[in-house]
Structure formats: C-alpha cells, structure tokens
Amino acid sequence: MALRMLGTLVGWWMYELTNAPFAIGLIGLAEVVPALSLALYAGHVIDISEKKSLLLKGTFTYFLCAAVLLFLSTRYFGSHSTKAVIVGGIYTIIFITGIARSFSGPVFSAILGQMMPRQILPNAITWNQGAFLSASVIGHATAGFCIAYFKNTGTLLVIVCLLALALIMLLQLQPKPAAAATGAKRTWESVKEGLNFVFSTKEVLGALSLDLFAVLFGGAVAMVPVYARDILHVGPIGFGWLNGAADIGSIIVVITLAIFPLRTKQGQRLLYVVAGFGMCIIVFALSKIFWISFAALLISGFLDGISMLVRGTIVQLKTPDEMRGRVMSVNSMFINSSNELGQFESGLMAKLLGVVPSVVFGGTMTILVVITTWFKAPALRKMEY
C-alpha cells in the first residue's frame, strides 16, 4: 500500500513541478535502469541467502527513501532550494528505490514459492495476488485523497508510517534459508543457469514475453496525471480513483477466480485477455468523459488480473525451489521493469505524438503483440495446468 501511494504521489508531484508529461516518463527510467542492471545478480544473491533478512533490508531502504522525499517536500526545503534541485532529488531517490526493488521484488515471490506446498500453490498465488491488489487499490485511492486534503508532505508522512508498520510486520516472519548450496557455483555460472532455464521453458518464456510487451506498450496509467488534470478535469480525488480503477477490476477477478478457478485453456485465455486489455487502453485514450475512462481502466484491470494469475501460476509451477531467486529475478526483468519502461515509453511518445495519440499507439501495439504471439508461441497458446 505504501509503495503504491508513493508511486502515485511522485507522478502527481513531478507533474506539478514540471508540467511536462515527459518528466513523468523519466521517473520510470530512473527506477528501471538500476532494477534491470542488478536483476540477474540479485537473483543469484537471493538463491544463496537467507531471504527474510534481504526482505527487511529492502523494506528499510524504501523507508529511508520515503523519509528523504518527505524532507524534500517540506516548506523549509522548498524555501531554500529551486524546483530543479527538488526534481533532481526525486529522480535520485527513485534511482535508489530501483536498486532496492531489484532484490526485494523477486524475494517476495521466492518466499511464497518456498513456503507453500506445490499442490496448493496455485490457490496461494491467487490469494497472494488478492492481498497485493487490495493494498494496491487502497494505496492508489488513498494517495489521491491524501494529496487533496494533506498535500504532498502529509501524504509522504502517511507513507513513512506505513513503511514503518510493514517493517514491524515483516520482522514476525520465520527465517527462510537458501534452498540449495548455489553458492558453490561462480556468480556468472549461477546466473547463466537461471537464464537457460527461462529460455528453454517455452511456456514460461512465452508468458513473460507477452506480458513484457503488453505492459511496455499499454502503460496508459503513466499518463493518468495528465488526463486527470488537463483532459478530464477531475483533480486529485479523480486522479486517485483513476489510478485505482485497474486494481479494483483486478481485485474483482482475483476473488472470482479464487472461488471459481480457471480449469482449462489457460494459455489461450491469457492471449484473449491481453488483447482485451489493449482495446481498453484505446477506449481510455479517446474518452473525455470521466465515467467512461474509469470503466475502461476498471475492465483493463479485470483482464490484467486474469493475465497476472495465469502468468504467475505458470512461472511458479515450472520453477524448482533452488532456482526461484534467479527465475523470479528474470521474471522481474520481464514484468516488473516493463512497468517503468512502459512509463518511459508513454512519456517519450507523449512528447513526440501528443498525449492522446501516444496512448492510442500503446493500445494498438499491445493488440499487435498478441496477434504475433498467437502465431509465434503455440506452446503458450496450448498451455494448460
């Protein structure tokens, strides 16, 4: 919840400071560069390390970064510095969170796979996604309300308190030692083993590649601050609801699939829902009516929720315990980092084409990616579990 609030706030704050959609896109680039650069090494470290301590270190880094942003947002700092200094400080802090993310993101997934018996792992993934998405939508919406009523500084204070609470809760975890003696291998040999596994397992590679390009081109949420303020004219509260719309849709589908799981043709349905996601992005891009924009993002989240569950289940079921850190790090390169690359792509295309054409372009490219994957990855299309 805290991290979703932080992402929402930083996008709004940066647009306030610069009035430039491209500056929002650079936030994604600032985070994705360290996250991608360290991902493979992080996977090796996760597999040879006790995972609880890594998780705590990553969360504590987020706490410190939020505390620094809180200081940057204060009236005292603002009166003694320029907007350029504040903008530079924000990008620097986001870069540091990218370093933390390269370790903390994959270790979350690795811990889940290590704790759960394989026979109940699909259901555990569904409930895990439900908890994550619930926190995500609450974080998005809460950030919008907090920005409206408590401004940036008050919102960051809430974020810092939530991260402190998270640290206290994570301290209750039992230690999670390495599943195997991967440390006997050299770092590059270990990394290469993880990469070989991903690229030789066609269902995993197909699912990750599909989601990578879909999220890369379908990153319309990056432009939500522009739509909320300049196109739909709904202010911070409407901004919060638009940010949370996709997560609301995802929560609905996760709860539904926890009760009525997909039994057959999961791979084929994955392709259908990603194509539908692209269509929703196009509708959002062209809409000038708030409720239509909200509905488009809501349905996109519904479809994306199905995609996340199918993809996550495929990756977890196919990955042995001793390789979870490395595989989840590759997964983070394909999936998590694609959000930030998508944010940068959206900002760049908005600068080149304009905001609305750039989002239409992204949705169209998402549909083309699905069509290409349908013919180029038959193993994924036929995948069932």
Side-chain angles (χ1 to χ4, degrees), residues 287-304:
S287 170
K288 294 184 179 180
I289 300 172
F290 174 77
W291 71 265
I292 294 178
S293 302
F294 181 84
L297 291 178
L298 182 77
I299 297 170
S300 76
F302 187 91
L303 298 172
D304 190 44

Side-chain angles (χ1 to χ4, degrees), residues 368-383:
L368 290 176
V369 165
V370 173
I371 294 172
T372 303
T373 305
W374 180 278
F375 293 105
K376 294 292 186 180
L380 176 62
R381 189 176 74 239
K382 299 172 184 177
M383 172 72 186

Side-chain angles (χ1 to χ4, degrees), residues 122 210 261-273 306-307 309-311 313-314 317 379-385:
L210 176 65
L262 297 175
R263 300 293 186 187
T264 60
K265 299 182 179 179
Q266 291 91 347
Q268 191 177 105
R269 290 175 181 178
L270 175 63
L271 292 164
Y272 289 150
V273 298
I306 299 174
S307 171
L309 288 176
V310 173
R311 184 195 70 244
T313 303
I314 290 173
L317 288 176
L380 176 62
R381 189 176 74 239
K382 299 172 184 177
M383 172 72 186
E384 291 188 322
Y385 55 79

Side-chain angles (χ1 to χ4, degrees), residues 11 14 27 40 108 121 135 144 154 166 174 216 220 228 249 268 293 315 317 328 340 343 349 357:
M14 186 61 70
I27 295 171
L40 295 176
F108 267 109
L121 186 56
Q174 296 297 315
L216 176 64
Q268 191 177 105
S293 302
V315 173
L317 288 176
M328 294 308 162
E340 283 67 44
Q343 187 177 11
M349 297 307 295

Side-chain angles (χ1 to χ4, degrees), residues 23 35 54 59 146 193 230 382:
L54 279 179
T59 307
C146 286
E193 186 180 20
D230 298 337
K382 299 172 184 177

Side-chain angles (χ1 to χ4, degrees), residues 236-253:
I237 295 178
F239 167 62
W241 282 109
L242 287 173
N243 253 317
D247 289 331
I248 293 172
S250 296
I251 290 171
I252 293 171
V253 77

Side-chain angles (χ1 to χ4, degrees), residues 72-82 86:
L72 295 181
S73 73
T74 59
R75 189 173 301 175
Y76 172 81
F77 187 84
S79 64
H80 290 79
S81 62
T82 64
I86 297 174

